Every structure is written in C-alpha cells, then in structure tokens.
Amino acid sequence: MPGSERAAHLLILGGTAEAAALAAAAPRLAPRLAVTTSLAGRTEHPAAIAGRVRIGGFGGSEGLARYLAAERVDLVIDATHPFAAQISAQAAAACAAAGVPRLLLLRPEWPRHPLDRWIEVEDLAGAARVLPQLGRRVWLTVGRRELGVFAGLTQHRFLVRLVDPPGEPLPLAQCDVLLGRGPFNLEEERRILRRHAIEVLVAKASGGAATEAKLVAARERELPVVMVRRPPPTPGERVDGVAAALDWLASRLAAAAGNRKEEVMR
Ligand code: NAP
C-alpha cells in the first residue's frame, strides 16, 4: 500500500445488498479509507450507496487493470452476485496482473428443505427444456436480459418481476409483468403465487434472505421449483458474508499500517 500521506483505496465490485452494506461499514474501520463502489449500470435507479459510486463496465480485465492503476486502488472486494461470473473472472485476472489483493464475498447457497420440490439444472437453457413437463403458468425469477431463453415456449404464460419498467416489449409470447425491488416478504410471495395461479417457479440459486421467501411460498403450495445451479466461484480468498469481509479488510489495513511504520523506522 502507498505512503502514509494517502488513505488506502478500497474498490467494491457491487450490485448486491452485501456490497452496499460493506460500503457503509468499511469507513468505520479506518476514517481515511477511501471507498468506491462499482455498479454495472443495469438498473435505472440503483438503491443508495454510501461513499463514491462509479457506474458502467471497465472494458474487460485490461480495462479494470488500467482503472486499478489510474485510481491507485489498494484492495478489491468482489461482492458481485453469485451469477455475475464474467466480472468476477475479470476482477481475478486484473487484480493478479496489477498485484492488488482481492477478496470474493460469496453469499451462502439456500439450504434445501426436505419438502422442497427442486429440479436442479445447469443453466437457464436447461430450465427452459424441463418446463413443458412441469406446468404452463410459470413465475420466472430471472433477470430481464435472460428472458430470451424462454422465447420458444409460446404455450406458457409467464410472470416476470422487474426492478424497472421494461422499455421495450419482452421476448415472451404470453407474459405478465410485476414491478418490485427486494427484499420481498412471505405474504407478498404467497399472494403472487395465488393471484397468478403459478404452477412452477424458475429461480437461480442466488442465496440471500432478500429473495428466499418465494421458495418458502412455493414449498407451502408444494410447487416444483426449477433451480439453476451457480457457476463455479473464482479461485482465491473467499468469505461468505459482510462481517467476514470486514475482518479481511481490517487485517489487510493493519498489515499495511505495520509495513508503513517499519518503513518510517528504517
Ligand atoms: P457479468 O455477466 O458478470 O458481467 C458482464 C459485464 O458487465 C462485465 O464484463 C463488466 O463489463 C460489467 N460489470 C458487471 N458487474 C460490474 C460491476 N459491478 N461494475 C462494473 N462493471 C460491471 O454481470 P451480470 O450478471 O450482467 O451482472 C451485472 C451486475 O448486476 C453485477 O454487478 C451483479 O452484481 C449485479 N447483479 C447480477 C445478478 C445476476 O443474476 N447476474 C443479480 C443481481 C445483481 P466490462 O467487461 O466492460 O468491464
């Protein structure tokens, strides 16, 4: 880490509740710590985030490596979504090239309850393949950009919940749209299943309390859930929550402060 005249600079790769919680808590560890959170820019009105926020892609791992150097980033915490595999791989490559320590914050998977009727599939295409055997009225809890995979299922009626109103027609023949931003509570999810006579749910194994209630509601109604497995995590240092990420940050900052003290005494 650089000389003592400058605060350390932490870059949080965000787009999750954990990233927002980290951005709020990290400065309490060291008042002179500069914290920047990076968002891809997928949502029109992102939730409020403490500290500096930058929005938009970096331009691949080379672009991110250039950003790390230009902004003199000392530490990176990748707190992106478990399915955001591309940015995580790019962060791993960029940090390795730039010699910047990186931590992956990966939230735990949802535990499977004995009464859950999950059909696990490798990817969204796999989910589309199994749907015809499971039911016609489908709640698709996937992102707007991922809906195209289900376009061929013209006999199905889909329900989609989006953060922002869709600017253009969705690529689904029969589709109802709900607007909402998590966290979602159990009563809300029960109501949705009832009102839309949902027969099957499609979910990504994202984990996290904010979107878990839909699984409880589906279990109560004994509905099948097509669960898309997570991509493998990037190798390297990894924790499963905000508290552990703050511990990592504290130990990195303490080690850097120790190094600086030694340099001054030499
Ligand atoms: P992705 O496929 O891993 O990344 C696609 C590209 O988007 C990356 O190559 C990068 O562009 C840019 N990008 C992604 N995350 C970024 C970030 N935090 N800051 C700056 N650029 C970023 O990502 P994704 O699955 O589309 O997810 C996009 C964002 O939404 C992530 O930040 C993620 O945390 C959040 N999110 C994703 C999901 C999901 O299910 N995938 C769910 C909830 C939230 P360049 O190559 O130009 O740098």
Side-chain angles (χ1 to χ4, degrees), residues 14-15 38-40 42 56-60 80-81 84-87 90 204:
S38 175
L39 302 176
R42 300 280 190 265
F58 295 98
T80 57
H81 190 269
Q86 197 174 320
I87 185 70
Q90 290 169 188
K204 301 197 296 187

Side-chain angles (χ1 to χ4, degrees), residues 168-227:
E168 52 200 41
L170 298 178
L172 300 169
Q174 302 185 61
C175 180
D176 299 312
V177 176
L178 281 177
L179 296 181
R181 189 195 294 268
F184 303 106
N185 67 47
L186 183 56
E187 201 38 59
E188 244 175 301
E189 307 301 62
R190 284 177 178 143
R191 221 177 11 247
I192 289 171
L193 293 182
R194 258 195 327 265
R195 185 172 300 161
H196 295 268
I198 296 298
E199 295 169 332
V200 51
L201 184 74
V202 176
K204 301 197 296 187
S206 305
T211 54
E212 192 172 10
K214 65 190 174 199
L215 301 176
V216 179
R219 182 188 309 146
E220 288 175 350
R221 293 175 79 84
E222 298 178 17
L223 294 182
V225 176
V226 181
M227 185 66 77

Side-chain angles (χ1 to χ4, degrees), residues 1-9 72-75 256-257 260 263:
M1 250 171 262
S4 55
E5 76 283 356
R6 191 169 85 80
H9 186 187
R72 299 170 71 200
V73 171
D74 300 297
L75 297 165
R260 279 202 296 274
E263 275 169 29

Side-chain angles (χ1 to χ4, degrees), residues 142-144 147 160-166 170 177-181:
V142 305
R144 179 168 50 92
L147 298 175
V160 177
R161 181 165 56 195
L162 304 174
V163 176
D164 299 310
L170 298 178
V177 176
L178 281 177
L179 296 181
R181 189 195 294 268

Side-chain angles (χ1 to χ4, degrees), residues 44-55:
E44 272 172 47
H45 305 289
I49 295 173
R52 224 180 107 194
V53 176
R54 67 156 302 282
I55 299 183

